[in-house]
């Protein structure tokens, strides 16, 4: 039986802006583990299925950080957007080294399909967030198959890669402070070496800057970046994304915000702009 | 030298809605300990001092819960309101039993001045939040002496008590799911017995329902209460507040919200209404 045929188990729910924040657990075929995810269903979902913004979180996060800290439900309720927040890695496994550092293993799945042992047994977060989770929520929750994707930091990388690798699958994409060129920064190199092996050629299919050149669909990218982000110079490299987009004419709106750092106060400040960006693509004339 | 003459130490700051979330540490005379508090300064504070909403948090919280989870900065930035969030108890002491339960001792100061040993040495949160902290922030941050007070649960009790005991000190008051009649609920009785002694007569000066009868100022109370609050029947008793207000004609707007529980998704849903309530009183014609 396909996992999407089994309803996820509701483990908590909270009324919020006249809709519901819910947490579900289900057995994932992609990761071979139980996975927990969060959902915000706007009031409109009580009457008709609504489109979904998938949110991919950053290193050390769970399904809860964005729900609790971004303040996204207020406008999502008005726009009639559902929010779906997966966890950032499989949980409950104890692979060698899995829990030793914040930037590899648990809390650090990087939204790739690992090919290398021991990770390949469970770390298939790309299949999970692109295919399994949408199939599950579309089968069991009042949502449509109109999808958008966004994320923060490692999840910003994930959002860009998911959209660039899947023309037609997402109506819109955006990112906050994404790890824009993971093949060329310490976080990305450490994770890709472990999950994908030592050959940098194999990393290119998981690097937004490499994927831009061959993208079949020129979906506009909305990217916000804090200029006082403590990880900007070493890890994030928005200038590489800018160059990759410029080289092939890929539409990019990169906004640099003086004074803003890498945290959720930055995300909260600009999340409404992203929600409107996605609602315009998802709902268009219905807004 | 008065503590308010010594500037608090800035320990962190985050840009947020074009203002600043800041955390400060200072030596408190009231508690005899170091205390940490959070501040949100709206953009307007760069040009002129702004009025302050003091927010008192609930059991187990710190200065950070409201800042991270309520989503208040968006509208506070537009209205030109500062937010000041004290911690919920002294920290760093190790009194007998202080860390044994979530509803007494650390994280559970109840905004009273303890009279009983061992608590009376440090647990003077009323003096701290009503006098010492406002004097400190008014001396060192770009804020005025126009004050409002609000809070959640234990902090809702605190907000009501601070306002009722201090006519003229606050322009407005509100509360989310307050412990409205602490003398008559398990949380309040446990805390009051420990901090104030066994005689319930001494608890009356810290119980909003008792203070209402003798209030010299009829400041309108805005109170929001979730109807699905898991603590409603045993701990909160809004009906007692309603009766106390009715008995003396004290203005009360008590809103019961079907489906909402005790948590921060409830606070986030209605915080904007409270901010507007306070801004109207603090800023009036300037809005």
């Amino acid at each position: 039986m396909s996992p999407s045929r089994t309803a996820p188990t509701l483990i908590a729910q909270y009324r919020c802006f006249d809709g519901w924040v819910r947490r579900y657990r289900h057995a994932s075929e992609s990761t071979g583990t139980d996975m927990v995810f969060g959902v915000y269903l706007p009031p409109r979902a009580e009457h008709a299925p609504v489109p979904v913004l998938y949110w991919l979180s950053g290193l050390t996060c769970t399904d809860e950080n964005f729900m609790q800290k971004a303040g996204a439900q207020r406008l999502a309720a008005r726009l009639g957007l559902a929010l779906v927040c997966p966890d950032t890695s499989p949980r409950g496994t104890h692979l060698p080294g899995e829990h030793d550092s914040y930037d590899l293993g648990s809390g650090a799945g990087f939204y790739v399909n690992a090919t290398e042992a021991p990770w390949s047994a469970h770390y298939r977060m790309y299949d999970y967030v692109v295919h399994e989770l949408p199939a599950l929520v579309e089968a069991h929750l009042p949502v449509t198959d109109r999808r958008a994707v966004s994320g923060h930091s490692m999840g910003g990388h994930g959002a860009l890669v998911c959209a660039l690798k899947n023309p037609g699958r997402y109506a819109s994409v955006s990112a906050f402070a994404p790890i824009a060129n993971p093949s060329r920064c310490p976080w990305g190199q450490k994770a890709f070496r472990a999950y994908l092996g030592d050959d940098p050629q194999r990393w290119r299919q998981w690097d937004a800057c490499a994927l831009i050149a061959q993208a079949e669909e020129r979906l506009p990218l909305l990217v916000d970046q804090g200029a006082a982000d403590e990880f900007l110079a070493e890890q994030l490299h928005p200038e590489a994304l800018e160059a990759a987009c410029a080289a092939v004419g890929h539409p990019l709106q990169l906004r640099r915000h003086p004074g803003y750092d890498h945290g959720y106060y930055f995300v909260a400040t600009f999340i409404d702009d992203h929600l409107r960006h996605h609602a315009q693509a998802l709902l268009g004339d219905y807004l």
Side-chain angles (χ1 to χ4, degrees), chain A residues 47-230:
Chain A
H47 308 291
V50 294
V52 179
L53 172 61
Y54 290 86
W55 174 268
L56 307 183
S57 278
L59 291 167
T60 78
C61 287
T62 70
D63 63 291
E64 292 198 291
N65 299 65
F66 179 79
M67 283 290 182
Q68 295 182 346
K69 296 184 173 181
Q73 295 93 341
R74 187 190 64 88
L75 187 57
R78 293 191 191 177
L79 295 172
L81 280 184
L83 309 170
V84 172
C85 301
D87 203 348
T88 56
S89 77
R91 306 281 177 179
T93 55
H94 298 288
L95 304 175
E98 188 176 14
H99 311 309
D100 292 351
S101 56
Y102 78 97
D103 54 0
L104 185 70
S106 49
F110 267 85
Y111 308 103
V112 302
N113 288 335
T115 55
E116 303 304 294
W119 308 104
S120 53
H122 299 292
Y123 278 69
R124 302 183 60 82
M125 289 298 292
Y126 174 79
D127 277 357
Y128 179 70
V129 302
V130 172
H131 299 293
E132 183 177 359
L133 183 60
L136 185 76
V137 301
E138 288 162 21
H140 296 287
L141 297 177
V143 302
T144 72
D145 62 0
R146 294 284 290 167
R147 308 175 199 101
V149 64
S150 185
H152 172 229
S153 192
M154 174 182 77
H157 140 75
L160 297 174
V161 166
C162 290
L164 289 165
K165 287 170 80 77
N166 292 280
R169 189 161 181 82
Y170 299 97
S172 51
V173 58
S174 74
F176 290 80
I179 303 173
N181 195 186
S183 304
R184 299 194 178 177
C185 75
W187 277 342
Q189 290 169 344
K190 177 177 177 178
F192 284 6
R193 191 168 286 125
Y195 298 145
L196 306 170
D198 289 332
D199 179 4
Q201 281 303 313
R202 299 171 63 184
W203 305 352
R204 294 177 55 82
Q205 65 179 299
W206 304 103
D207 187 315
C209 285
L211 292 167
I212 287 282
Q214 66 211 51
E216 293 170 29
E217 182 191 39
R218 295 289 170 209
L219 204 58
L221 311 181
L222 169 61
V223 176
D224 276 324
Q225 176 62 56
D229 187 320
E230 58 273 37

Side-chain angles (χ1 to χ4, degrees), chain A residues 8-16 19-26 35-41 63-64 67-68 141:
Chain A
T9 303
L10 182 67
I11 56 177
Q13 66 175 345
Y14 314 92
R15 201 90 169 121
C16 183
W20 292 98
V21 171
R22 290 185 174 149
R23 299 184 76 202
Y24 291 94
R25 180 181 293 116
H26 70 113
M35 292 293 286
V36 170
F37 63 93
V39 177
Y40 178 67
L41 291 174
D63 63 291
E64 292 198 291
M67 283 290 182
Q68 295 182 346
L141 297 177

